[in-house]
Amino acid sequence: MKFLVFVLLGAIVPAFANEYCVKSVEEACGDKGTDSTNCNAIYGSIDSIKGDLSSLTLQYFMKSFDYLLLSSNFGTHTLNRPGFEKLYRKTSDDAWNEAIDLIKYQTTRGSTMDFEKDIKLVGDNFALNELHSLSFALDYEKILAKEIHGIHKKVSHAHSSTHAANEEHHYDPEITQYLEEKFIENEAETIRKLSGYTNDLAKLIKSKEPQSSLAIYLFDEYLAKQ
């Protein structure tokens, strides 16, 4: 079996010499210089979605700042909603940690983070009331989930049978697993939670009119205990 592996490697390397570390090492040991650029952790399709992962990372950094602004909006002495402040502060902290995790993942796969990528701004006005802030957060998470699904599709096996012949395609199950476990499942749970909060608060406000302020106060207390 070992002999067969070496035979296959010997047959494959000459055909794809520019892609393999062994070729770089051979050149480094000879008279062609010391280039070892192929001796890295890059494999699969990490390079093909480098820009997508960089954009997603910056989106999560922006998400952290956006939710921090939402949190500070409800932490003022005028609104004084500790439950909403806690909800958005935790979401901000989680987004920051997820962005850091994305950077670590890219370096683990031999890629680098591009901090010059443009990012899509979701909004710039965070002086929202309680119900509007929940609906804003729900839409925010759906936009992020859509972007993550787009990256997942680019490297998924399901996409490989449908892409056009002239379209560059790469299949990378390790990236799909990472996205599913670290982001897709979390986004699904976050969207479900926020949609529940939005509908519950809307029903409370409607049923408690004209004492809607009491309903909001009770809902904020509920969030503070979560």
Side-chain angles (χ1 to χ4, degrees):
M1 178 61 72
K2 290 183 179 179
F3 175 74
L4 179 60
V5 170
F6 282 116
V7 170
L8 290 174
L9 184 61
I12 293 174
V13 169
F16 302 95
N18 293 332
E19 300 179 12
Y20 287 93
C21 175
V22 63
K23 182 64 177 179
S24 297
V25 171
E26 289 175 356
E27 292 179 352
C29 294
D31 299 327
K32 298 182 179 181
T34 57
D35 182 20
S36 59
T37 56
N38 292 325
C39 300
N40 52 50
I42 298 175
Y43 68 96
S45 62
I46 189 68
D47 269 352
S48 69
I49 60 167
K50 175 181 177 179
D52 297 301
L53 291 179
S54 292
S55 294
L56 184 63
T57 303
L58 291 176
Q59 279 291 97
Y60 269 93
F61 276 128
M62 183 56 66
K63 174 183 173 180
S64 179
F65 285 113
D66 288 344
Y67 277 93
L68 185 61
L69 290 173
L70 268 180
S71 175
S72 62
N73 177 54
F74 290 102
T76 61
H77 69 281
T78 53
L79 283 179
N80 190 27
R81 299 292 188 210
F84 281 89
E85 180 186 12
K86 177 183 177 181
L87 171 65
Y88 296 134
R89 178 63 65 88
K90 182 181 184 304
T91 306
S92 173
D93 293 341
D94 290 344
W96 185 270
N97 291 332
E98 286 163 340
I100 297 298
D101 192 84
L102 271 167
I103 294 176
K104 290 180 179 179
Y105 176 75
Q106 291 174 76
T107 57
T108 298
R109 288 293 303 269
S111 186
T112 56
M113 173 66 193
D114 183 4
F115 287 98
E116 296 182 359
K117 293 289 294 183
D118 293 331
I119 58 175
K120 301 175 184 177
L121 297 178
V122 178
D124 56 3
N125 182 13
F126 299 97
L128 305 173
N129 63 32
E130 294 82 359
L131 184 56
H132 285 164
S133 72
L134 288 174
S135 61
F136 170 83
L138 177 59
D139 290 340
Y140 203 124
E141 298 304 326
K142 286 183 177 181
I143 291 173
L144 274 178
K146 184 178 180 180
E147 293 190 11
I148 297 169
H149 288 177
I151 300 174
H152 185 278
K153 183 178 181 180
K154 287 184 177 181
V155 292
S156 66
H157 182 69
H159 184 56
S160 63
S161 60
T162 59
H163 75 285
N166 60 346
E167 186 178 279
E168 185 180 8
H169 173 73
H170 302 274
Y171 171 50
D172 196 317
E174 202 277 332
I175 295 178
T176 61
Q177 181 185 28
Y178 171 75
L179 292 175
E180 289 166 5
E181 293 182 352
K182 294 288 187 177
F183 295 93
I184 293 178
E185 292 179 4
N186 289 340
E187 284 296 338
E189 177 60 25
T190 299
I191 289 171
R192 188 214 62 79
K193 180 177 67 175
L194 288 172
S195 63
Y197 286 166
T198 305
N199 284 284
D200 287 345
L201 183 57
K203 292 174 183 177
L204 279 172
I205 292 176
K206 186 175 182 180
S207 64
K208 295 291 184 179
E209 290 179 348
Q211 294 87 18
S212 59
S213 59
L214 176 60
I216 295 174
Y217 174 79
L218 294 175
F219 190 82
D220 183 74
E221 278 198 332
Y222 165 77
L223 290 179
K225 295 176 182 179
Q226 297 303 301

